Amino acid sequence: MTLGRLGDRGSEIPVIRHEGRVYDLRTVTDDIHGAFLSSDGIARARAAAAAGELPELDGAADLRVAPPVAQPGKIVCIGLNYHDHAEETGAAVPGEPVVFMKDPTTVVGPFDDVLIPRRSVKTDWEVELGVVIGTEARYLDSPETALSHVAGYVVSHDVSEREFQLERGGQWDKGKSCETFNPLGPDLVPAADVADPQNLGLRLWVNGELRQNGSTAAQIFSVAYVIWYLSQFMVLRPGDVINTGTPAGVALGIPGNPYLREGDVVELEIDGLGRARQTMVQA
């Protein structure tokens, strides 16, 4: 079972995909948001589906695939969290997680267009495991308890503008927060259905050419450690998203730096979490 949202912006319908069919969740919740996740919503939705209480959604195949979580309160990102990515960018392996924030309004659907910012010449790709928080995480005692606060996992595309991020001074945020810079989805896979978040393959193609092919097993800081670490500095609330870093293969680290241009097509996937596809369009 996976959860998702279908429909145009502003009129998304919460759904469950279960045994090859799509069911309308509006008898259980008005949306997939923090309040739903924190009130044992996934378990309630699973029970309703198993009991046959949800109506099948007519015409689901014709609807836009929206982000599987309504706009998060915040997106927290971890930089340089794979040994090979740190190496390809010439950065030292960090002793503590590198933390930055991303504007939550950057979230778009997994098949929506991505806008290349005006005056951008260094728009880059990054496939990442996205973690969706299900219950409040505040000053957690240890990483061992951290995964109990996860609602589920999702494919996340942390699009980045490297000149804005690295060459224009200040913090990374302005190279990460351009509009449409965080396609999310297609589905939210409940944490209970992901056996091990540290054993997931991640892949990304640009115009059909495989550019990234890694595994969360190579993360410097595990998902559990990242959640625990972040909880020492901020409150993680239901519906928040954590982007946990990207493996090697970004344009910044490839000879010739083949940054994205208008018309380029990016496809990305994570084992068990689904596949997404975006076309680059000039803002």
Side-chain angles (χ1 to χ4, degrees), residues 5-275:
R5 299 164 71 243
L6 299 175
D8 294 334
R9 292 176 178 85
S11 58
E12 293 91 346
I13 300 168
V15 301
I16 272 186
R17 294 183 177 89
H18 180 63
E19 297 181 348
R21 297 186 176 183
V22 179
Y23 296 93
D24 191 332
L25 260 184
R26 285 177 290 184
T27 58
V28 176
T29 183
D30 63 329
D31 211 341
I32 298 174
H33 42 40
F36 166 74
L37 297 173
S38 65
S39 62
D40 212 19
I42 291 178
R44 290 187 289 111
R46 193 190 297 271
E53 297 172 353
L54 301 177
E56 195 164 353
L57 183 65
D58 292 333
D62 298 324
L63 296 176
R64 166 183 174 260
V65 181
V69 179
Q71 184 176 314
K74 58 181 172 289
I75 301 174
V76 191
C77 303
I78 306 300
L80 303 173
N81 197 27
Y82 287 75
H83 289 278
D84 56 2
H85 177 54
E87 181 180 351
E88 73 173 347
T89 60
V93 173
E96 294 190 37
V98 175
V99 179
F100 61 93
M101 308 294 284
K102 190 160 188 162
D103 180 357
T105 66
T106 58
V107 169
V108 294
F111 304 102
D112 291 344
D113 292 339
V114 169
L115 299 179
I116 295 178
R118 296 181 184 182
R119 296 175 295 279
S120 167
V121 294
K122 296 184 179 180
T123 295
D124 205 347
W125 58 82
E126 293 189 13
V127 59
E128 306 207 5
L129 174 64
V131 177
V132 180
I133 297 298
T135 57
E136 183 175 283
R138 176 180 180 271
Y139 293 117
L140 298 182
D141 290 334
S142 70
E144 286 68 33
T145 64
L147 293 185
S148 66
H149 295 272
V150 176
Y153 300 95
V154 66
V155 178
S156 186
H157 188 182
D158 177 21
V159 188
S160 308
E161 213 296 340
R162 301 303 189 187
E163 181 187 3
F164 299 175
Q165 175 191 357
L166 302 172
E167 302 174 30
R168 299 289 296 273
Q171 299 182 349
W172 286 7
D173 300 41
K174 62 178 176 280
K176 299 283 189 170
S177 292
C178 305
E179 59 182 335
T180 73
F181 262 29
N182 206 138
L184 205 63
D187 295 325
L188 174 65
V189 179
D193 298 333
V194 176
D196 183 1
Q198 299 310 141
N199 187 30
L200 299 174
L202 309 86
R203 291 164 291 277
L204 181 146
W205 296 259
V206 179
N207 300 326
E209 183 175 354
L210 183 64
R211 289 298 195 180
Q212 291 185 276
N213 186 11
S215 169
T216 56
Q219 287 183 337
I220 298 168
F221 303 104
S222 69
V223 172
Y225 186 92
V226 163
I227 295 168
W228 166 80
Y229 181 86
L230 292 175
S231 79
Q232 309 306 307
F233 303 97
M234 65 186 77
V235 179
L236 299 172
R237 295 187 169 87
D240 287 350
V241 173
I242 303 171
N243 287 337
T244 59
T246 197
V250 299
L252 177 65
I254 296 174
N257 306 122
Y259 291 112
L260 295 167
R261 299 289 183 261
E262 183 174 21
D264 286 345
V265 174
V266 175
E267 297 171 277
L268 55 156
E269 67 180 14
I270 298 177
D271 291 347
L273 305 187
R275 188 177 178 106

